[in-house]
Amino acid sequence: MELEGGSGGIQPSSAPAEEGGFRKAAREGGGAEKGDADGSRHSRGSRAGILMTCRGNEYTQQYTQQATQSQLLLEDEATRFSDRREVAPPEPPQSWGKLIPSSPSLSQLDLDVRPPVRPLLPATLSFLELPLSPGDCFNSYALGRSKSCDVTFGKPDKRDPNAWVHTLVSNSHCRVYCMLAPLGDSNSGEHTMEVYVEDSSQNGTVVNRSTKLRRGERRLLNTGDEIGLVNESSLAKVPPEERRAVMSNYEFTFINVWQQAARAVPRPMPLQPLQNNLAPAAGAKPSPAPKAATAQPAPPPP
């Protein structure tokens, strides 16, 4: 109960009202502080969520970059591997032999694979990727003065005192060819290639400066053999000191490239029967020799 009085009396106090206002303000202030605390916690949570989201995005971005780089490396490697397989240049055709001239003025002749001109029988096998039958003549090369030959000898200078040697070479002087023959080893049913030189001239073909072939005769060639189209006995008019140079214009050295490659390939060694070389032990009796089988008479017919 509040009392009212004069100037000296007790005047009504407004403290409760002020106190109520203070309390209200305090309550409002407390609510504000609580709201600020809640807001700060909410902001900290938001910042933590943003930080986690950023870190998650960073990890995801790094993983995506690593996966993309790995995929690009795999694709690049696969592309390079496919390029190596598909863009590889084809192998050049291999020659089976060579004719190397003795004179430096002539060029080397590479003997490539050629099919048989007149097959004897229908082809029964494949050799050097050619359909052949045993006895076929293939890889034939002609030497002579004719322009149709594979090795042609042009006319020399008329002012050369030894120009007449050119007339000793026939239009079709000789030829080098191959024949398919069975391999010497009977255990392997393979075939091998034999190379021959055959003369078709009037003056003959000389092999290794010692063997003279007449028309229709042939000689087996090996690596290092020399083929001469001019015989030294026909050069009586040429000075002795000039004969070697004149003959070199008509000489070739044969190289069997196929034979060298075939020898480089290792072949399995044939199996040999085992032999018992062990000596019998001391005091051991030698094993008796097996008895020879005797023929038994046939039973009488019933």
Side-chain angles (χ1 to χ4, degrees):
M1 179 177 181
E2 296 180 358
L3 299 176
E4 295 179 359
S7 59
I10 301 173
Q11 296 183 358
S13 176
S14 60
E18 294 176 359
E19 184 180 359
F22 177 77
R23 291 177 180 176
K24 183 177 180 181
R27 287 196 299 270
E28 291 178 358
E33 292 177 359
K34 182 178 181 181
D36 294 340
D38 295 341
S40 62
R41 287 196 299 271
H42 179 71
S43 62
R44 287 196 298 270
S46 300
R47 288 195 298 271
I50 293 172
L51 182 60
M52 293 178 64
T53 304
C54 293
R55 290 181 177 177
N57 293 337
E58 183 179 358
Y59 294 153
T60 304
Q61 185 176 5
Q62 292 180 358
Y63 177 78
T64 305
Q65 291 178 355
Q66 293 177 358
T68 305
Q69 292 176 358
S70 301
Q71 184 68 21
L72 291 176
L73 289 176
L74 291 175
E75 292 179 357
D76 186 32
E77 188 68 21
T79 303
R80 287 186 296 174
F81 181 74
S82 60
D83 291 344
R84 286 197 300 266
R85 294 187 59 185
E86 297 178 1
V87 188
E91 297 182 357
Q94 299 293 332
S95 58
W96 60 268
K98 296 180 180 180
L99 287 178
I100 302 176
S102 300
S103 175
S105 60
L106 301 177
S107 58
Q108 172 183 309
L109 177 62
D110 293 332
L111 308 177
D112 297 331
V113 177
R114 289 182 176 181
V117 179
R118 297 177 181 177
L120 299 178
L121 298 172
T124 57
L125 51 89
S126 177
F127 187 83
L128 294 179
E129 300 182 358
L130 294 176
L132 301 172
S133 61
D136 283 346
C137 298
F138 58 101
N139 295 339
S140 180
Y141 284 81
L143 293 79
R145 289 189 302 172
S146 175
K147 294 182 180 180
S148 61
C149 294
D150 300 288
V151 179
T152 305
F153 300 91
K155 294 182 179 181
D157 190 357
K158 294 181 179 180
R159 294 173 295 181
D160 187 359
N162 298 322
W164 61 271
V165 179
H166 181 72
T167 59
L168 299 177
V169 180
S170 301
N171 289 330
S172 179
H173 197 95
C174 63
R175 65 170 181 148
V176 177
Y177 63 93
C178 301
M179 286 189 64
L180 194 64
L183 192 65
D185 186 6
S186 59
N187 294 329
S188 62
E190 300 179 1
H191 291 77
T192 185
M193 184 179 67
E194 296 179 346
V195 185
Y196 292 92
V197 55
E198 182 178 337
D199 180 75
S200 57
S201 67
Q202 296 180 355
N203 298 316
T205 301
V206 182
V207 179
N208 295 331
R209 304 179 186 177
S210 59
T211 304
K212 184 177 180 179
L213 303 179
R214 300 293 182 181
R215 179 178 295 183
E217 295 180 347
R218 67 180 185 181
R219 168 74 181 268
L220 183 66
L221 289 179
N222 295 311
T223 298
D225 288 346
E226 293 183 355
I227 303 173
L229 279 66
V230 174
N231 190 6
E232 187 176 4
S233 60
S234 303
L235 303 179
K237 298 180 181 180
V238 179
E241 63 275 8
E242 299 179 6
R243 292 177 185 176
R244 182 67 250 152
V246 172
M247 292 178 60
S248 64
N249 295 325
Y250 305 95
E251 284 184 344
F252 296 87
T253 301
F254 171 70
I255 304 296
N256 194 334
V257 178
W258 177 87
Q259 188 180 42
Q260 293 178 349
R263 289 178 177 176
V265 177
R267 293 182 176 271
M269 297 296 294
L271 297 178
Q272 300 293 338
L274 297 177
Q275 297 180 358
N276 187 6
N277 297 325
L278 297 177
K285 296 182 179 180
S287 57
K291 296 181 180 181
T294 57
Q296 299 293 334

